[in-house]
Amino acid sequence: MKVIFRMFTAVISVIVLLALAACGGGDSNASGSSEDSGKVSAKIGVVTFGSGSGAAYGEAITNGLKLAQSEINGQGDVNIDLAIEDSAGEPDQALSAAQKLMNSENVTGIIGPTLSTEFEVVAPVADQNGVPILGTSTTAQGIPQIGEYVFRDSIPESLAIPASVEKAVEEYDAKKVAIMYGNDDVFTKAGYDSMKEAAEDLDLDIVTTQTFQKGQSDYKAQLTKIKQLKPDIILCSALYNEGAVIMKQARSQGIDVPFVGGNGFNSPEVIDIAGDAGNGLIVATPWFTGKDDEKVQDFVKAYKDEYGDEPDQFAAQAYDGLYIIADALKNAGDDDRDKLRDALAETKDINGVLGNISFDEDGDVVMDPVVLTIKDGKFQEMK
């Protein structure tokens, strides 16, 4: 079906070009994608979680993108126009937003949506229409495998969680673990799968598995069960809202063992919501504001100067994501969707704030995570 669609598109393109030539109106830059100076111009669509319970994710992503856009456009090789749409974290709204960007806005590529649940709805449609799509915060398994136009620069849970579980077990000599996860979300379910597999690989005793749903506010029943079984650590796959509340209620019940979270936990919002109860959280991430790297510290300073806060993982992944697209546009030479896709597939050794970034044959990111813990109210590297 995808082949038929592209053949049809190619035929229509030839007809249009012939018609323009017959009218004497031929123009090699008819798309407006490449200026006489050689600068490549392109409109990139963004679908992000801009309102609702996860708005902090969308705000960080948008901030990172806008900062990168300003820098990239100032460098002179590529000019990017961002068209940003709010998904509110809802798959249906994310799909409507993406269809608007692909059809009405005629974007060259799309960044987002924010959640894996949304991305799994939008990415197949983008892929079918030959629109490159880049996930900067989607960490569920199988995302890049959706299609040949699908990429991501966020470390999947299947890489991040084993690193954090292994570090926690080593640090606390853990033998018994309890697992909690949200069972109504693709991202948190994927995190659970990785936690269970990591625990089994390390021969840990899983004393109980407790579930909850997005937006739940009372976790006393699950935590009471966990407290009775006395695990050494708790593995918890949750978004920051639920995760922070779980930790707060756990500490109030006298549960003081460390928590290991997935990517959703890696947000300063956890500290803002949980307060001292956030101490003891362990996560693995490609992003750490304290990294001794000039590029990282320049980004942190620029972000703080612009927005007043330090950038989190979502801002950093979005920032690098736009630089990856800018590099591909420069290599593609214009804003053609197929050329952008091919250039993205060749991404290798991009020096980003996350580290050295390449894509594998599936379009998945290749990089190493850092393990962090919250201590004294802030994220610190576990060495």
Side-chain angles (χ1 to χ4, degrees):
M1 185 68 186
K2 189 159 55 180
V3 173
I4 294 173
F5 175 81
R6 288 179 191 145
M7 289 177 64
F8 175 76
T9 303
V11 171
I12 293 298
S13 298
V14 170
I15 292 173
V16 170
L17 288 173
L18 288 173
L20 288 171
C23 295
D27 182 353
S28 62
N29 290 330
S31 69
S33 62
S34 181
E35 301 172 358
D36 291 340
S37 62
K39 180 188 293 186
V40 179
S41 296
K43 179 183 286 187
I44 300 299
V46 179
V47 182
T48 192
F49 199 160
S51 61
S53 61
Y57 294 132
E59 181 180 8
I61 288 169
T62 303
N63 289 347
L65 290 173
K66 288 184 174 178
L67 186 58
Q69 178 195 26
S70 176
E71 294 174 1
I72 291 166
N73 291 351
Q75 291 166 5
D77 294 326
V78 177
N79 189 80
I80 293 177
D81 180 21
L82 294 176
I84 300 174
E85 296 288 335
D86 178 16
S87 71
E90 298 294 335
D92 290 347
Q93 187 167 327
L95 180 58
S96 296
Q99 288 173 324
K100 175 186 175 186
L101 292 169
M102 288 187 281
N103 300 325
S104 303
E105 300 288 340
N106 197 30
V107 298
T108 301
I110 293 176
I111 291 177
T114 304
L115 304 179
S116 297
T117 302
E118 304 171 286
F119 202 89
E120 286 195 343
V121 172
V122 171
V125 178
D127 185 69
Q128 188 175 25
N129 286 281
V131 180
I133 183 167
L134 173 69
T136 66
S137 56
T138 46
T139 55
Q141 292 197 49
I143 292 291
Q145 289 76 24
I146 290 173
E148 60 182 320
Y149 283 76
V150 183
F151 303 86
R152 71 170 162 196
D153 74 346
S154 44
I155 284 187
E157 298 289 57
S158 58
L159 287 180
I161 286 174
S164 53
V165 173
E166 186 173 348
K167 192 70 178 178
V169 168
E170 175 187 320
E171 181 74 17
Y172 295 99
D173 192 27
K175 309 292 186 194
K176 299 190 299 181
V177 298
I179 301 179
M180 293 184 71
Y181 75 99
N183 63 355
D184 60 345
D185 180 87
V186 171
F187 160 74
T188 50
K189 173 64 169 57
Y192 160 70
D193 291 340
S194 295
M195 287 174 174
K196 181 173 182 288
E197 184 174 349
E200 291 172 347
D201 287 346
L202 294 170
D203 292 326
L204 300 174
D205 179 14
I206 302 174
V207 295
T208 185
T209 299
Q210 299 289 318
T211 62
F212 56 87
Q213 296 186 330
K214 193 184 298 181
Q216 188 171 325
S217 59
D218 187 344
Y219 305 90
K220 292 185 180 67
Q222 293 94 331
L223 292 169
T224 298
K225 177 73 173 177
I226 289 173
K227 184 178 181 181
Q228 291 170 347
L229 296 169
K230 298 180 179 178
D232 299 314
I233 54 177
I234 299 172
L235 313 182
C236 184
S237 181
L239 299 174
Y240 71 78
N241 273 316
E242 290 82 2
V245 174
I246 287 170
M247 292 195 71
K248 205 167 184 176
Q249 293 185 7
R251 303 311 186 209
S252 70
Q253 289 198 29
I255 301 173
D256 58 1
V257 298
F259 274 72
V260 175
N263 276 291
F265 256 115
N266 187 21
S267 169
E269 295 293 326
V270 171
I271 300 172
D272 291 343
I273 297 171
D276 290 342
N279 289 326
L281 173 65
I282 298 167
V283 296
T285 171
W287 171 246
F288 177 42
T289 54
K291 192 181 291 185
D292 185 18
D293 180 286
E294 183 177 353
K295 190 177 187 70
V296 169
Q297 294 310 314
D298 286 348
F299 169 58
V300 172
K301 182 179 185 308
Y303 193 97
K304 288 179 71 174
D305 288 347
E306 187 68 26
Y307 305 113
D309 294 317
E310 288 193 346
D312 64 10
Q313 172 180 315
F314 296 88
Q317 290 171 163
Y319 178 85
D320 273 355
L322 198 62
Y323 265 100
I324 290 169
I325 285 183
D327 180 73
L329 284 168
K330 184 178 176 181
N331 292 331
D334 63 35
D335 66 347
D336 179 81
R337 290 171 172 176
D338 288 333
K339 290 182 180 178
L340 175 59
R341 181 269 159 205
D342 291 344
L344 282 170
E346 297 297 320
T347 295
K348 185 174 177 58
D349 295 331
I350 297 284
N351 181 26
V353 297
L354 300 173
N356 187 276
I357 301 170
S358 299
F359 287 146
D360 67 13
E361 63 276 9
D362 291 327
D364 210 352
V365 69
V366 179
M367 70 171 75
D368 296 320
V370 176
V371 180
L372 306 179
T373 187
I374 296 179
K375 185 178 179 182
D376 300 328
K378 62 181 181 180
F379 282 106
Q380 302 185 32
E381 185 173 2
M382 287 183 77
K383 297 183 178 178

